[in-house]
Amino acid sequence: MHLDMPTPHDIEHLAAARDPLSATLYVPTTPGGIDADSNRLAARGLWEPVLLEMYGRADKRDVWPIEEMMNTLLDDDEFWEHLGRSLAIFVSSKGIVEFRLPNSLESYATLADRFTITPLLRATTFPNDAYTLALSQNGARLIEISADEPPREVTVSDMPRSAEKAVGLRSIGGRSPYGRLHGDEGRKVRLTQYARAVDHAIRPTLNAASLPLVVAATQPLAAIFTNLSGYRHVVAAPLRGNPDEMTDAEIAAETRVVLDQLNEASLDELRTTFKERRNSGRAVTDLAELARAATFGQVDTVIIDMNAHVAGHIDIGGALVLDPADDLDVLEEIARAALGTGARVMSVRSDDLPDGVSAAGLLRFATEG
């Protein structure tokens, strides 16, 4: 599965972008290249009505460059062979950007003066996919784990074949050629060298996806790798058991349990924090309060129902204006305002929000009144 996960800067840039011809497309896709033509056809089916609407709104000379950018993407055979489970496309007169995502998102297409970002936020709120590094003295393999597909071993160039091969010795437990390292001391130093070589080999693959990395290894190698890895998404707790004795399917099952635990722990922490701050006036669920707080940079974290839609907008003074005829979504506007002030924005299921509300916010400081 090929992923291009958006960075916080990417999301902030998209949230702030304004152009009268801003098209947003979310396309459910199938990884692996098997359904490349079907994926492309689905994207084209979403794009064509948007394109017709563009021609109805604007001068054709303004639409032609946008149409050309989309046609170039649609005609790129190599691109459509390598997808995730969803594709997000943002195109306007100022350019085109796409993200191949691990989440299964619903089909969506719209034309407005700004991009729709809430589904994209869902893809970055909680991980549904991960990599697992099955690491032992006898070798290492990087396994791609997804929520609903069999695990897949990733080919990694320069991956050390074993600890001995990595350090150029027949054994990592013997005396060094110069007699300086031997016994447990020498073994630990050489395991560290081996772990560092593995880390360097897998880093390009990991950085391209920004997914959690779960380590399957026995001690002390698990701790050695976790402590030295330069990848910031390494999960602190390793899987139990010897990876040499586990199949990829067994490793994948254990990894999915770890991901579920991570997500639930994050939600539990969020609920606890919300209760604590609510008692001190630093948490709100009222949309009008939340809109005002987001506008004026008072919000630390915003949590939004991923499936909710509230027609309306926020005026320049931060006041909430509800209007069923409005093309804008209040929740999108709150998220956009919060992102613009450096807040964290999370897209969750309705059951994960307090009191049955569509949005909630943790404040940086208590508001007056």
Side-chain angles (χ1 to χ4, degrees):
M1 184 163 58
H2 289 70
L3 305 176
D4 310 297
M5 293 296 289
T7 66
H9 175 77
D10 291 329
I11 295 176
E12 289 171 13
H13 178 75
L14 289 169
R18 293 291 183 274
D19 187 292
L21 297 177
S22 296
T24 304
L25 282 72
Y26 290 98
V27 190
T29 55
T30 303
I34 300 174
D35 295 324
D37 289 339
S38 297
N39 292 332
R40 183 171 8 203
L41 187 62
R44 194 182 297 277
L46 289 174
W47 165 243
E48 288 179 348
V50 173
L51 179 62
L52 286 175
E53 188 175 350
M54 280 189 182
Y55 276 115
R57 286 191 187 186
D59 188 288
K60 62 184 179 181
R61 289 169 294 185
D62 295 326
V63 179
W64 285 341
I66 302 174
E67 183 178 13
E68 183 178 357
M69 284 187 281
M70 270 300 298
N71 285 340
T72 299
L73 179 65
L74 290 168
D75 292 339
D76 186 344
D77 293 336
E78 178 70 15
F79 177 84
W80 294 96
E81 291 286 340
H82 305 288
L83 296 175
R85 280 196 288 279
S86 295
L87 174 64
I89 303 173
F90 305 92
V91 59
S92 71
S93 61
K94 297 175 182 176
I96 184 171
V97 62
E98 69 285 329
F99 297 103
R100 293 172 284 194
L101 305 172
N103 299 67
S104 296
L105 301 177
E106 296 181 0
S107 293
Y108 177 89
T110 189
L111 178 66
D113 67 342
R114 63 200 71 187
F115 297 124
T116 301
I117 59 170
T118 302
L120 188 65
L121 292 170
R122 179 60 189 173
T124 59
T125 294
F126 295 122
N128 292 309
D129 296 63
Y131 287 110
T132 297
L133 176 64
L135 180 64
S136 79
Q137 182 177 322
N138 300 319
R141 63 190 194 275
L142 185 65
I143 305 168
E144 185 180 284
I145 312 294
S146 63
D148 52 11
E149 293 183 354
R152 181 183 71 88
E153 184 172 350
V154 180
T155 301
V156 178
S157 60
D158 300 325
M159 179 76 92
R161 287 186 290 169
S162 68
E164 289 80 8
K165 295 290 185 182
V167 299
L169 296 174
R170 292 183 179 179
S171 170
I172 65 168
R175 184 179 294 273
S176 72
Y178 302 102
R180 290 195 297 267
L181 297 173
H182 58 88
D184 289 342
E185 179 191 3
R187 183 171 183 272
K188 185 174 182 180
V189 169
R190 291 176 185 121
L191 284 176
T192 300
Q193 294 169 343
Y194 169 52
R196 183 173 291 111
V198 171
D199 180 53
H200 289 170
I202 65 176
R203 195 89 62 77
T205 301
L206 299 177
N207 288 341
S210 298
L211 293 174
L213 176 67
V214 179
V215 179
T218 57
Q219 300 297 356
L221 191 52
I224 289 172
F225 181 88
T226 301
N227 290 334
L228 68 77
S229 177
Y231 184 60
R232 65 189 183 94
H233 301 296
V234 176
V235 177
L239 297 186
R240 296 180 179 180
N242 184 348
D244 291 343
E245 299 173 355
M246 300 172 70
T247 66
D248 287 357
E250 290 171 334
I251 288 174
E254 292 293 325
T255 299
R256 292 185 186 109
V257 171
V258 170
L259 289 179
D260 289 342
Q261 292 171 343
L262 287 174
N263 294 347
E264 189 56 38
S266 181
L267 282 171
D268 284 343
E269 182 180 358
L270 198 61
R271 294 184 191 107
T272 301
T273 303
F274 188 88
K275 286 182 180 179
E276 292 172 351
R277 294 198 184 180
R278 197 173 207 178
N279 293 334
S280 60
R282 295 180 58 203
V284 296
T285 56
D286 180 80
L287 284 183
E289 291 182 56
L290 188 53
R292 186 167 51 253
T295 301
F296 293 105
Q298 297 170 333
V299 174
D300 174 74
T301 302
V302 173
I303 311 106
I304 291 175
D305 182 347
M306 61 182 289
N307 296 315
H309 177 91
V310 180
H313 64 276
I314 304 171
D315 72 16
I316 195 169
L320 177 67
V321 180
L322 298 178
D323 182 357
D326 203 319
D327 291 334
L328 297 178
D329 179 0
V330 166
L331 303 181
E332 279 268 333
E333 295 307 290
I334 289 174
R336 216 180 297 277
L339 286 168
T341 61
R344 180 189 185 194
V345 181
M346 304 173 66
S347 178
V348 302
R349 295 181 178 87
S350 58
D351 291 344
D352 296 325
L353 279 154
D355 305 333
V357 299
S358 55
L362 301 175
L363 306 182
R364 294 185 171 118
F365 48 87
T367 57
E368 296 182 1

